[in-house]
Amino acid sequence: MSNDHLTDIAYRHFIESVKDYAIYMLSADGTVISWNEGARRAKGYLSDEIIGRYFGLFYSEAEQLSGVPAKNLEIALRSGQFEGEGWRYRKDESRFWAHVMIDTIRDEQNTLLGFAKITRDISEQKAINDRIAWMARYDALTGLPNRVEFFERVEKLITGNDARRFAIFTIDLDKFKEINDLQGHLIGDQLLQRVAGAVLKTLQKEEMVARFGGDEFVAVKPFSDEGEVDAFAARLWHCFSGKQTFAATEVVLSASIGISVYPEDGTDINTILSNSDLAMYRAKSSLDHKICWYEREMDDKTRQRNMMAADIRRGIHAGEFSLHYQAIRNIKDRSITGYEVLLRWQHPQLGTIPPDVFIPIAEESGAIVPLGYWVLEQVCNESLENGLNRKVSVNISPVQLRHRSFIEKVREILMRTAYPVSLLEFEVTETAVVINKQLAFSVLHHLQKMGISIALDDFGTGYSSLSMLRDFHFDVIKLDRSFMTDVESNPQVRSFVRAIISLGNSINTPLIAEGVETAGQLQILEEEGCDEMQGFLFGEPVDIKHLPDRR
């Protein structure tokens, strides 16, 4: 036996025994003429079952009817090789994703003898690649399209030849952060998955809803009649609203939706989205209208508020905020017993912005959280640097009180600055408590255990002030400044002041009267037995360098 013949036998044996690749020969007309072990494993046919049959049976019926198998052989004939990927079918009619190579076999005279075909199952790799590609365009939690997919869809609508009108919808779940904080992120994630499932069931042709992150959803709908937009908005609202029941809890959802229209409300995607955002914020602040269309005049105010919210965050780092201190005095001897810290903002373009303008915006936008931490750390640092050996009272927003890491952050600031806890007092209003009384009282108890005094600010203006004094022992009560306005001229107001002072004495809680501006007001407070006061009567708030008595 010649060496060449031995080599041929050995090579044929090697090919036939390969298990990871389907390697087989085709005749010039595409008939299978050899079959290896890898082909049997990949496609399920024994050699006796497949040899002599046309290789096109491995393709789908549609590809067979359109002549794809023959076309692939033609490509191999023209270029010497065909290479591609596609679905291939097994004997049991199941399919796998295959990488295929077809090479021509020719003799020394360049006569076509047939084809060598190599097929490899790459289904697993395809699944990984498909998953990666899917994750680049879809939200993993909800299965909805993400920002990338949404932007591409809208850009196609804008650049399309038919110049169709379409509406953009911004959808926000009301109080979703509170749900997350109270019920935990697991419940929050399940809620998002449930509303997404409801959305997918209600979508009709050309409608898309995407999740940008958190509870921020956006939708797009081409339309010819505005009634279609209203109907879609109503369907969306029902998907994002209603009662959701879990094993151990029940959550009631509601949503706010803003709508803007191309091209009336913007000719580029960012402008249209921004305007639908503005309309959504208007819906969010409304008690009656939870679906709002963009209106330029009304929503410009919201735009300005959003700009101010961004300026607040920037201003914290730019050093635009400062602290002023107003003295709290003992009424009997007029000695200073402490200070209330008041925040000031010097805007680079707008000048001095009053707290009653920027504080509500900071609370709405969440900027009050970093701003509040800045205030606390600044109070600690500059009080120590300037030897301010008096109790300092810092106002705490309801938003701060509900912030998940508020207690830990306060503890961290106090440890970092080494500020004496006994000199720190937090002022909270009734509003800070009534939103979630259980959570608020729990946080306040923790703060008291740390040694921080808790003052009830603006007492007498709320509807449940007395019940709050019953449910929680405040260290200080601060009588709202509104009582001082008419206390000299209105006997009824004086009676209210007398009753509140008497209440404070009966529960052994010191009372501070705010807004004292005249000697007459001071005299009345003294006659009624008030403990302490603060107000312009003894001077306006000043920065710490100009305080008259720091010790």
Side-chain angles (χ1 to χ4, degrees), residues 403-418:
H403 193 244
R404 197 174 189 85
S405 57
F406 180 65
I407 295 172
E408 290 76 10
K409 189 69 175 178
V410 169
R411 184 180 288 113
E412 176 190 319
I413 290 172
L414 291 173
M415 291 180 64
R416 184 166 59 247
T417 60

Side-chain angles (χ1 to χ4, degrees), residues 262-516:
Y262 171 88
E264 293 94 320
D265 301 327
T267 55
D268 65 89
I269 185 171
N270 290 315
T271 301
I272 309 167
L273 264 177
S274 174
N275 289 337
S276 68
D277 272 344
L278 294 174
M280 181 272 292
Y281 284 119
R282 182 155 45 84
K284 209 169 183 65
S285 62
S286 171
L287 296 176
D288 303 322
H289 304 288
K290 303 309 291 182
I291 301 173
C292 290
W293 292 65
Y294 172 70
E295 297 177 27
R296 186 180 303 277
E297 294 76 14
M298 295 182 68
D299 292 326
D300 274 350
K301 294 179 181 178
T302 305
R303 191 190 308 277
Q304 292 169 7
R305 292 173 74 85
N306 290 346
M307 290 173 62
M308 182 167 286
D311 283 349
I312 291 170
R313 293 182 183 274
R314 177 196 51 75
I316 297 171
H317 302 288
E320 296 171 11
F321 289 94
S322 61
L323 303 179
H324 281 196
Y325 295 74
Q326 184 174 52
I328 300 170
R329 293 178 181 268
N330 182 290
I331 285 183
K332 291 180 180 178
D333 60 13
R334 311 296 193 263
S335 62
I336 295 176
T337 58
Y339 297 93
E340 179 180 352
V341 175
L342 303 170
L343 186 60
R344 298 291 182 260
W345 184 17
Q346 188 68 26
H347 193 282
Q349 283 81 43
L350 303 177
T352 301
I353 300 178
D356 59 355
V357 172
F358 72 80
I359 292 294
I361 295 174
E363 289 182 327
E364 289 173 12
S365 65
I368 194 68
V369 174
L371 183 59
Y373 291 141
W374 178 88
V375 169
L376 180 57
E377 187 149 5
Q378 189 71 7
V379 165
C380 294
N381 285 328
E382 64 182 35
S383 296
L384 290 172
E385 291 170 6
N386 291 275
L388 191 63
N389 193 25
R390 293 281 192 280
K391 180 160 283 190
V392 178
S393 188
V394 178
N395 289 281
I396 300 299
S397 160
V399 179
Q400 290 175 269
L401 207 59
R402 297 195 302 271
H403 193 244
R404 197 174 189 85
S405 57
F406 180 65
I407 295 172
E408 290 76 10
K409 189 69 175 178
V410 169
R411 184 180 288 113
E412 176 190 319
I413 290 172
L414 291 173
M415 291 180 64
R416 184 166 59 247
T417 60
Y419 187 76
V421 180
S422 60
L423 295 182
L424 184 61
E425 182 172 88
F426 283 167
E427 293 187 20
V428 296
T429 63
E430 182 181 327
T431 308
V433 176
V434 295
I435 295 173
N436 188 331
K437 187 179 288 188
Q438 184 178 359
L439 173 64
F441 284 162
S442 174
V443 173
L444 295 178
H445 275 302
H446 274 89
L447 295 170
Q448 281 184 326
K449 287 180 181 178
M450 290 167 58
I452 300 171
S453 299
I454 305 297
L456 178 58
D457 197 15
D458 300 339
F459 182 79
T461 58
Y463 63 87
S464 59
S465 299
L466 292 177
S467 68
M468 288 180 60
L469 293 180
R470 179 196 64 200
D471 296 337
F472 185 85
H473 178 68
F474 290 91
D475 299 290
V476 178
I477 299 171
K478 301 193 76 172
L479 180 64
D480 187 71
R481 65 181 62 250
S482 62
F483 286 97
M484 291 297 100
T485 305
D486 299 318
V487 72
E488 295 177 86
S489 59
N490 190 325
Q492 187 177 21
V493 172
R494 179 164 181 169
S495 297
F496 275 117
V497 171
R498 182 186 304 121
I500 294 172
I501 293 172
S502 176
L503 174 65
N505 292 333
S506 68
I507 60 175
N508 297 315
T509 303
L511 189 138
I512 300 172
E514 297 181 292
V516 180

